[in-house]
Amino acid sequence: MTQGFSFSVLATDGSARQGEIFTPRGTIRTPAFMPVGTAATVKAMFPEDVHAAGADILLGNVYHLMLRPGAERIGRLGGLHQFMRWPYPILTDSGGFQVMSLAKLRKLDETGVTFQSHIDGSRHHLSPERSMEIQDLLGSDIQMQLDECVRLPCSESEAERAMRLSLRWAERSRKAFREQPGRAVFGIVQGGESKPLRVESAKALAGMDFHGIAVGGLAVGEPQHVMLDMLETTAPHLPESKPRYLMGVGSPDDLVEAVARGIDMFDCVMPTRAGRHGLAYTRHGRVTLRNACHADDPRPLDEASSCTAARIYSRAYLHHLVKAGEIFGMMLLTQANVAYYQELMAGLRAAIAAGCLTDFIAETRARWIEGESA
């Protein structure tokens, strides 16, 4: 295990785990939700406000940062932490998903993937070794192997091809990571909607010297019940002593369901993207501020929230800002959403520690339903 990186499970409730990931840059309380800082910024938020909301770690994106401003440039400027003024842990994804979803033209082979930038059409080659080199230059605390993510649904043969390629790339990624004191590298389970493929992938990765394992290739178009089925299939084959990370998930309901199935870490653009488009997540469910019913509503989003944006500004004012397209409205709603996600994770951690997770989830869902129906 990399010196200075460790994971401890402090409490369990059923399959759910409450714990801590220790890194030289700080402790990550789990279950943890990582706000997404795609291009070295969590959109519409100051870094200090992201941390004040309760986030211990955020996510950076290899694909976007390698294209602009460039990994070598960030490295020369002191690394991603110094570049964006975030002194706490950062996880970087491998760039593989964005290559598959955003690049204009791409060619995949055993060596990696060659693609054209969606920004200027320039050509690039991303291999497992280059992905790990970029993440080293960025200085990220948790680095991800390069994998191939296929959209669901897909054929069994396509899922198997991508899974086996991802396992070969996992071995190369782990070797390229070498040993970086205080940092960690995670493998990624693939296998589409196939239970046998998911189990095979999980077992193979568990046998490699990764510091944590992610479940990838979900939240890519499949119904929630398929995602949960794959988690129930995969989790029992993951090492209990290492963090488990569900990539790209998700809604508050996705989070509570996945935590109950043993997942420790999450990331998703949902809270920040929703905030920029007038949707708030609260203890009382979703609030669409564009709706005319909020035009004369003097109530805040949530009078009991720890977040100033949710507690002191009226829904009428937020409605006005959204309708007027004001940047301040995007900032307030993004801050409120990120804070709510962190409050939800804190509630889940406390419930697991107290052994009352089932009751907590039931009460949380009841508030969502009551608030949205009202």
Side-chain angles (χ1 to χ4, degrees):
M1 185 66 70
T2 301
Q3 182 181 2
F5 180 95
S6 64
F7 172 62
S8 299
V9 176
L10 304 178
T12 60
D13 187 350
S15 297
R17 296 128 58 93
Q18 180 253 327
E20 292 177 329
I21 299 172
F22 295 96
T23 80
R25 283 196 172 91
T27 299
I28 304 161
R29 298 162 292 176
T30 64
F33 181 85
M34 299 179 283
V36 175
T38 301
T41 173
V42 177
K43 289 180 172 60
M45 290 192 72
F46 291 103
E48 54 268 32
D49 290 339
V50 176
H51 189 251
D56 298 325
I57 179 174
L58 55 77
L59 179 143
N61 185 267
V62 161
Y63 173 84
H64 289 280
L65 294 172
M66 71 179 281
L67 296 180
R68 185 172 56 193
E72 280 75 13
R73 175 171 288 151
I74 292 175
R76 290 194 301 269
L77 292 169
L80 188 55
H81 298 82
Q82 183 170 328
F83 187 60
M84 65 180 295
R85 309 300 296 174
W86 174 266
Y88 312 105
I90 295 175
L91 179 148
T92 46
D93 61 17
S94 68
F97 177 79
Q98 284 74 27
V99 167
M100 302 304 166
S101 62
L102 295 179
K104 294 178 181 178
L105 296 173
R106 52 195 175 271
K107 179 182 178 182
L108 183 74
D109 58 29
E110 191 68 33
T111 66
V113 57
T114 302
F115 65 94
Q116 277 190 304
S117 163
H118 74 288
I119 298 172
D120 59 10
S122 58
R123 293 181 66 83
H124 302 266
H125 182 72
L126 189 65
S127 65
E129 293 78 13
R130 176 56 177 161
S131 177
M132 301 314 299
E133 179 185 22
I134 291 169
Q135 294 180 78
D136 187 13
L137 287 166
L138 297 175
S140 49
D141 305 278
I142 300 175
Q143 304 173 20
M144 304 302 299
Q145 71 149 105
L146 183 65
D147 65 327
E148 183 188 359
C149 178
V150 295
R151 290 200 175 276
L152 300 180
C154 71
S155 67
E156 179 98 3
S157 61
E158 177 67 2
E160 181 176 6
R161 184 201 58 75
M163 184 274 284
R164 298 199 185 284
L165 178 63
S166 294
L167 285 179
R168 294 192 295 274
W169 284 359
E171 293 178 337
R172 290 167 55 188
S173 296
R174 182 62 187 91
K175 183 179 180 180
F177 176 80
R178 305 178 312 279
E179 290 302 326
Q180 301 178 35
R183 299 179 185 173
V185 59
F186 285 19
I188 303 175
V189 174
Q190 290 291 351
E193 298 176 309
S194 168
K195 292 183 179 182
L197 292 178
R198 288 279 174 180
V199 170
E200 181 180 351
S201 178
K203 287 182 175 180
L205 291 169
M208 301 182 193
D209 188 27
F210 284 108
H211 308 98
I213 298 182
V215 180
L218 297 175
V220 289
E222 81 283 0
Q224 187 194 57
H225 71 85
V226 172
M227 178 186 76
L228 299 179
D229 195 22
M230 292 302 102
L231 290 182
E232 291 172 359
T233 298
T234 304
H237 301 284
L238 301 178
E240 293 185 0
S241 61
K242 297 181 179 182
R244 302 166 180 172
Y245 165 30
L246 178 57
M247 305 182 76
V249 174
S251 70
D253 189 57
D254 288 338
L255 298 181
V256 298
E257 290 285 1
V259 165
R261 288 161 173 80
I263 299 299
D264 306 303
M265 302 170 67
F266 305 87
D267 80 278
C268 190
V269 298
M270 193 171 288
T272 49
R273 179 176 290 169
R276 299 195 306 276
H277 291 84
L279 175 63
Y281 290 98
T282 76
R283 287 187 309 123
H284 307 295
R286 295 170 300 178
V287 181
T288 303
L289 274 306
R290 287 190 176 277
N291 290 351
C293 62
H294 302 296
D296 295 300
D297 193 338
R299 297 175 300 157
L301 285 172
D302 183 356
E303 68 284 349
S305 174
S306 61
C307 173
T308 302
R311 193 175 65 251
I312 71 170
Y313 294 97
S314 72
R315 298 184 184 206
Y317 180 56
L318 295 170
H319 168 79
H320 158 69
L321 294 176
V322 169
K323 294 293 285 185
E326 288 290 341
I327 294 173
F328 189 45
M330 301 177 191
M331 295 173 63
L332 290 175
L333 291 178
T334 298
Q335 187 171 359
N337 286 348
V338 169
Y340 175 67
Y341 268 60
Q342 297 303 327
E343 289 171 1
L344 178 61
M345 303 313 288
L348 288 165
R349 292 193 294 265
I352 296 168
C356 60
L357 181 63
T358 300
D359 291 341
F360 175 82
I361 292 175
E363 293 167 3
T364 298
R365 277 216 182 91
R367 282 198 301 269
W368 290 341
I369 294 170
E370 181 181 1
E372 291 184 20
S373 62

